[in-house]
Amino acid sequence: MLAHENAFVSGSAMAKKLGISRVAVWQHMEKLRQQGFEFEAVRARGYRLTSKPARLEPALVRAYLPLRRRSFTLAVLDSIDSTNDEAARELAAGRADPFVIMAREQTQGRGRLGRRWLSEPNGNLYASFAFRPRVAPARMQTFTLWMGANICELIANFCRVAPGLKWPNDLLFDGRKAGGMLTEARIDADQIRDLVFGLGLNLSTPKGGWPAELKDRATALDTQVAGTLDVNKFAAALIGRVLLAYEKFVGGDHVEELADMWNRHDVLRGRRIAALLGSERLSGTASGIDEEGALLLRTDRGGIERLRAGEVTLQRPGNA
Ligand code: BTN
């Protein structure tokens, strides 16, 4: 029916296509109505889809996926503590990978460095992708950067907007954070047992505005795009892109592309930044990333420092 939006499809045609009775078709339609789909039913013409649910619906996400990207399982939960935690529990319980856990709300959404990730049920995206990659742990250093670059390209193409990447894991619009990534791996000796890649993406500005502590730092995709974003189409495109990016990463086919993609969206390059290296505070000019994903900082003392982890802040002109 999604393939014939705005057109009538007869009950008998659907019954034939699905190999079920017309009564069973009617029962399916009732189930879909309960999920928020609306249909016009006209005798002798059949059913016409008049409205789709605005919220995340697994059936719609699946329907919009590119055909060759369907070898994974997907769960869309109403509410969960954290999709990353749920994915880790499912991996520990032996669920086959790859799989995706999405939630309409998180009660304990987590960010990097033990921070909280605001996860209200207002149409934002909270997603975790679970994998068992057969690669050496050392190769994972660029994983989050590679995923971030892919997600940035996807958002740019899908929404015709210009997101930026702030090393190591932030997605920005106009200098404010709209999304963050949290990659968590369990490692046995020299082998990765499993890995969860979590993405939080603000699609909508909260109705009552951002909480005071985020007001100057947070933003959402709805500040960039006119009209409403189809969250189900977007989620399908996201899953397709992340699964493809994962395959390329595991196959080692990402190295050259990463440098180009990162440079296209890097908001730090050429800007003055401050960073903490252990307990030392460094300032200088951001100069891209190296092949291991480290941030290159041309320091005021003239050398190049490689930052492998941590956090950087952009300095405003005039601030030392
Ligand atoms: C950050 O910027 O610090 C990372 C934020 C990651 C948030 C996402 S939302 C989905 C997944 N579940 C979590 O608890 N965290 C990640």
Side-chain angles (χ1 to χ4, degrees), residues 80-86 101-103 106-119 125-129 169-171 177 179-184 196-201 311:
I80 192 75
D81 50 357
S82 149
T83 54
N84 265 33
D85 291 347
E86 178 63 9
I101 309 274
M102 292 186 166
Q106 296 184 117
T107 53
Q108 289 173 56
R110 295 185 291 108
R112 275 175 79 235
L113 312 171
R115 293 185 187 131
R116 190 170 78 95
W117 185 259
L118 184 70
S119 307
L125 213 81
Y126 314 114
S128 295
F129 299 80
N169 75 321
D170 293 356
L171 292 160
K177 183 156 167 170
M181 295 167 284
L182 182 66
T183 303
E184 296 176 304
V196 177
F197 169 70
L199 170 73
L201 185 61
E311 214 176 25

Side-chain angles (χ1 to χ4, degrees), residues 230-300:
D230 186 326
V231 67
N232 291 297
K233 276 191 187 155
F234 182 78
L238 173 75
I239 293 173
R241 182 81 190 216
V242 169
L243 295 183
L244 178 63
Y246 175 76
E247 279 168 22
K248 283 191 184 172
F249 187 90
V250 170
D253 305 329
H254 65 295
V255 180
E256 274 173 39
E257 250 185 289
L258 171 59
D260 284 350
M261 274 162 64
W262 188 268
N263 288 341
R264 267 204 291 282
H265 302 288
D266 183 1
V267 296
L268 296 181
R269 200 184 184 87
R271 306 273 307 270
R272 292 213 32 97
I273 58 169
L276 276 179
L277 194 62
S279 57
E280 197 188 357
R281 189 167 184 275
L282 294 173
S283 52
T285 305
S287 308
I289 55 170
D290 70 8
E291 62 289 346
E292 286 168 4
L295 179 71
L296 301 175
L297 175 68
R298 186 176 296 281
T299 64
D300 296 340

Side-chain angles (χ1 to χ4, degrees), residues 132-152:
R132 293 190 179 86
R134 303 266 168 273
V135 302
R139 274 210 34 216
M140 297 310 292
Q141 283 163 335
T142 53
F143 184 79
T144 309
L145 306 184
W146 169 244
M147 285 299 176
N150 273 275
I151 290 167
C152 223

Side-chain angles (χ1 to χ4, degrees), residues 163-211:
L165 284 166
K166 176 171 172 271
W167 185 91
N169 75 321
D170 293 356
L171 292 160
L172 308 185
F173 288 116
D174 302 329
R176 290 168 186 239
K177 183 156 167 170
M181 295 167 284
L182 182 66
T183 303
E184 296 176 304
R186 287 194 301 170
I187 295 171
D188 294 331
D190 56 356
Q191 185 74 33
I192 293 175
R193 193 193 306 174
D194 49 39
L195 175 138
V196 177
F197 169 70
L199 170 73
L201 185 61
N202 300 331
L203 301 181
S204 327
T205 308
K207 284 203 176 67
W210 294 103

